[in-house]
Structure formats: C-alpha cells, structure tokens
Amino acid sequence: MSHREGFLPHCPTIALFTDLYELTMLQAYWASSMHQEAVFSLFTRKLPQERNFLLACGLDDALSYLEDLHFPQQALDYLHEQEVFQEDFLHWLSEFRFEGDVFALPEGTVCFANEPLLEVVAPIGQAQLLETYLINQFHVQTMAASKAARIVLAAEGKRVIDFGLRRIHGIDAGLKAARSFYIAGVQATSNVLAGATYGVPISGTMAHSFIQAHDNELDAFRDFARAFPQTVLLVDTFDSLQGTRKVIKLAQELGADFQIRGIRIDSSDLKALSFDLRKELDQAGLNGVSIFASGSLDENVIQDMVASGAPIEGFGVGTKMGVSNDAPYLDMVYKLASYAEKGRLKTSTNKATLPYQKQIFRQEGENEYIEDILAAFSENHPGRPLLQQVMHKGERLPAGRETLAEIKDRAQNELAALPPALRGLDPASQVYPVRTSSYLEQEATRIRAELLDTNNS
C-alpha cells in the first residue's frame, strides 16, 4: 500500500499539499532565473517546556514524497484555473522532478533544539517547494514519537499498547502516529491499518458495548471466551470487583479449558483497584491472569502506578499519547541556510538562524551522551557525525531504506544513552549541551554585519 493511498481521495496529486506561497515563490524564482543551489534546514527552534529531548521521526515518508513528486495534468489544470500562474511556468512545472540531495538524522535518533532533522541541497525552487509537506510530516511524527518515548520510559519495561486512533486528528496522522509510537517502544497498536501498512503488531479485544448487549455480564464473558479463548476480558462495565468475580466463576466453569490471559480495567482509581483485583485473582488460584489498565492514562499516571508497585502488567494509552496533550506542537521550521554558495540567515529577534549546510557531532562517554557540536558541514570535530546522506540527485540511497525493526532498535539504544536526568519526566535542571562551533558563530556574525550594512545603505 502506498504511504498516501486512500487519504486524499479527491486530490489530483500530493504535490498540491502545499501552501500557496510555496508555488508563487517557485514561479518567482523561475521568472527571475534563480536556479542555483540552496540549502534549507528543518529544525525545531526550542523544545516545549515539557520535553528534555525529541525523537526524530518522519524521514521515510519524506523520501517517498520526494521520489514521487510531480504535477499531473489534473493538478496543472487546477492551477491554471486560479489565474495566478503563467502558462510557460505551468509547462515548466509539468516536467518538475526533485533532483537534489538530502541529509538527515536517521529515524529514531534523539535530538535537541536547533539541530537539523533534515537538510535539503537542491536548486532553490525545488527545495523551497518542499517546505509544507516536510514540516507537516516531520512535525506530527516527531511529536508523536517524543510523547510515546516518555510513556515507554515511565512504564519501565511494562507493556504499552496504542489505543489512540479514534481521537487522533485525522486518518493520516492516526496512521503515522502508530508507526512513530512503535519506533519509540510502544509494543502494539489497536490500529489495524497501521498493522497492515507497516507490520506493527496489533492488539485489541472488546468494548463495553459487547457486555451491555447481553442481559448478563457472565453470559457476555462466556460468549467472548468461546470465540476468543485467550483474550483479555473487560471487567469494569458495571462494577470491577463483581466483574472480576464473574471471570473467576467462568474459570471454575471451564476448568482446564480456561485460557483467559487477563482482565482490563478502564475506570475508577486504577491503582487502588488493581491491588484489590489482584488479591481476588490470586485467592482463586488465577495467578496467571494479568491486569491491564486503560482510561485517560499518560506518563505521569503510569509512573505513579509503577512506583507504587501496582500489580498492573500493561497499559493501553489513548488520547493523551495520540494528541500529545501536554505538548501538542513543536516550533518546527524550514529555513534557508545558503544560496549560490553564500551563507544566508535571518536576524529576526528570537528567530535568528545560522548559515550553511551543517553537521552534528555527538560526543559520547562510556554509557551516555555528553554533548553535541553543531558545525558547518565542511568542519571536522571529535564525535559521531549524525546527519547522513539519504538521497542523491533525487534517488534514495541505502541509508534511507532502513527497516522498521532497525529504526526501533536505534531508538531504544538512543534513549538508553540519554543522561538519566533527561529520561525523567520533569524538566531537567540542566538542558543537554548543544554547542555551536566557533567557525559557525563567527560566520553568522560576519554575515549579520554584512546584511546590516547592505540593508541600511
């Protein structure tokens, strides 16, 4: 299945998934014969207060988009109807293909404010056009992976399942979020399409409506267990304690044929309730029946449960992970860093940028990361260079063809290498150090002074 199939059924092409000004600028570049090479950098200006790190995600979709990007006749006809674009430009656009290079953080890499997740090196019009789609995809997927990473860290090895699909903002986000959650360490999803598309394990059992449709809760358990002998039964439709006692009665009825794996609680004081239900199950000899919790969970609630020793073996996390409720957006931007072999930057207050194509050098201790150096791509510094070339002249390179398993493994290794204070849920007393190289700082100062002279003359 294509990464876009079915999500924009009335759209003539994904190429129109853009802000109008990307196309008007593209025509202006074309009309001015501005076709020289540019570098654009995609990064997050600052981390949300609730985040100590981000987990980069979204590269695979970005590369698929770049491989396929073109304007079919239906799209050109629509642009013609707007009476904004010149006919010669639309003819040029009919032959548009992305022919640039892309350098990026591998998906699942931990990153910080002002560090490029991706850099595009291409003729300026080609690179400019990509802005909307690239921010859209990196934003939602990085935001989702970063939230899920916090939840997985709080669970301390206990099972976490994604239940968020029904309240995530739209079909595309729901699909991409499930993949991002899995990369961050979530073990399965209720999202069947994500399972079919990406190979993410799927998980799910029953809703309260199945219980309510029966005249008797025990009859509902009997019917569902007959259809799915190794399922997890939802016990809180009416009263969790009584529901659990009905599961115990079912076990007595079925004897050796009883194969129920667990019970799920979705309301009330989940922490206190889990102790009471565990006691009931153990007294009945059902030590192998686990307790699974869901219902308005986030990392803080999960951390509290785990710290208390609550006998809960897994968590179904929905809305608050799905929409990243505490940090629902990132200050992610896509900015010009060079054009025609000259460094370019913004000097706006609180929005200043750095020039040139860049590289990140990560300093690593024996067990954890120590510091990153943000430098010009031409520089050499100690440490592991993070940005890798993933596309050359519009063709995806092997570094851009990783499997989901490889990305997931990287994410777990990256999270394990974070300093402990950054893995915690509270804002760290000291942010992770990202140091700009002296050369890049000096060049930014020089170019800023030149801009001041030029624009004040």
Side-chain angles (χ1 to χ4, degrees), residues 107-406:
E107 287 193 278
T109 299
V110 163
C111 58
F112 305 93
N114 293 309
E115 295 187 329
L117 282 75
L118 170 141
E119 291 202 318
V120 174
V121 183
I124 191 166
Q126 291 188 24
Q128 181 73 67
L129 179 64
L130 315 180
E131 178 179 13
T132 303
Y133 186 89
L134 293 181
I135 292 178
N136 178 275
Q137 292 297 305
F138 272 91
H139 180 271
V140 69
Q141 296 183 53
T142 298
M143 179 184 68
S146 303
K147 176 66 171 182
R150 287 167 56 85
I151 289 170
V152 169
L153 289 169
E156 294 187 8
K158 293 181 181 288
R159 185 172 174 82
V160 177
I161 298 176
D162 160 34
F163 280 5
L165 177 59
R166 63 190 63 186
R167 294 197 184 104
I168 290 178
H169 300 151
I171 297 173
D172 186 63
L175 183 65
K176 308 298 175 56
R179 177 180 181 274
S180 304
F181 297 155
Y182 184 67
I183 287 171
V186 172
Q187 293 172 296
T189 180
S190 66
N191 185 337
V192 179
L193 183 58
T197 303
Y198 302 120
V200 175
I202 57 174
S203 180
T205 55
M206 67 192 317
H208 294 106
S209 54
F210 187 85
I211 309 294
Q212 293 171 277
H214 288 73
D215 292 333
N216 182 283
E217 188 176 32
L218 181 55
D219 287 340
F221 290 163
R222 289 187 182 113
D223 286 351
F224 207 81
R226 190 178 302 116
F228 301 98
Q230 296 186 341
T231 193
V232 173
L233 295 173
L234 181 59
V235 299
D236 77 326
T237 303
F238 307 115
D239 178 275
S240 297
L241 185 57
Q242 292 303 318
T244 300
R245 288 171 178 168
K246 289 186 175 76
V247 174
I248 292 170
K249 185 172 182 179
L250 180 64
Q252 293 167 345
E253 289 178 3
L254 295 178
D257 293 329
F258 180 80
Q259 301 177 59
I260 298 299
R261 293 185 294 108
I263 61 172
R264 176 161 71 94
I265 49 177
D266 189 62
S267 57
S268 188
D269 183 342
L270 299 175
K271 180 171 66 174
L273 188 59
S274 68
F275 286 101
D276 294 338
L277 300 188
R278 183 74 268 161
K279 182 177 180 181
E280 291 278 334
L281 291 168
D282 289 348
Q283 288 177 345
L286 299 181
N287 310 79
V289 175
S290 62
I291 298 174
F292 189 83
S294 59
S296 299
L297 300 181
D298 65 10
E299 60 267 45
N300 295 298
V301 174
I302 290 171
Q303 183 182 66
D304 179 60
M305 290 183 182
V306 171
S308 74
I312 296 171
E313 297 183 29
F315 304 97
V317 188
T319 304
K320 293 182 179 180
M321 182 168 72
V323 302
S324 186
N325 68 306
D326 62 322
Y329 75 93
L330 305 173
D331 189 12
M332 188 173 285
V333 293
Y334 180 80
K335 295 300 179 184
L336 181 68
S338 76
Y339 175 62
E341 300 184 348
K342 290 180 62 177
R344 311 284 172 157
L345 47 75
K346 281 180 63 176
T347 62
S348 310
T349 303
N350 298 325
K351 292 187 176 182
T353 60
L354 292 168
Y356 304 139
Q357 184 181 353
K358 299 170 190 70
Q359 182 58 277
I360 306 164
F361 296 90
R362 179 154 289 168
Q363 320 293 306
E364 303 178 35
E366 185 175 346
N367 297 310
E368 64 184 50
Y369 299 149
I370 298 172
E371 179 187 57
D372 288 358
I373 299 174
L374 180 60
F377 197 80
S378 59
E379 295 185 71
N380 286 309
H381 290 274
R384 173 167 57 99
L386 299 186
L387 290 161
Q388 299 181 11
Q389 186 168 7
V390 292
M391 182 168 273
H392 176 62
K393 294 185 177 180
E395 297 291 331
R396 194 190 294 226
L397 298 176
R401 297 188 183 279
E402 295 185 300
T403 67
L404 191 57
E406 290 171 332

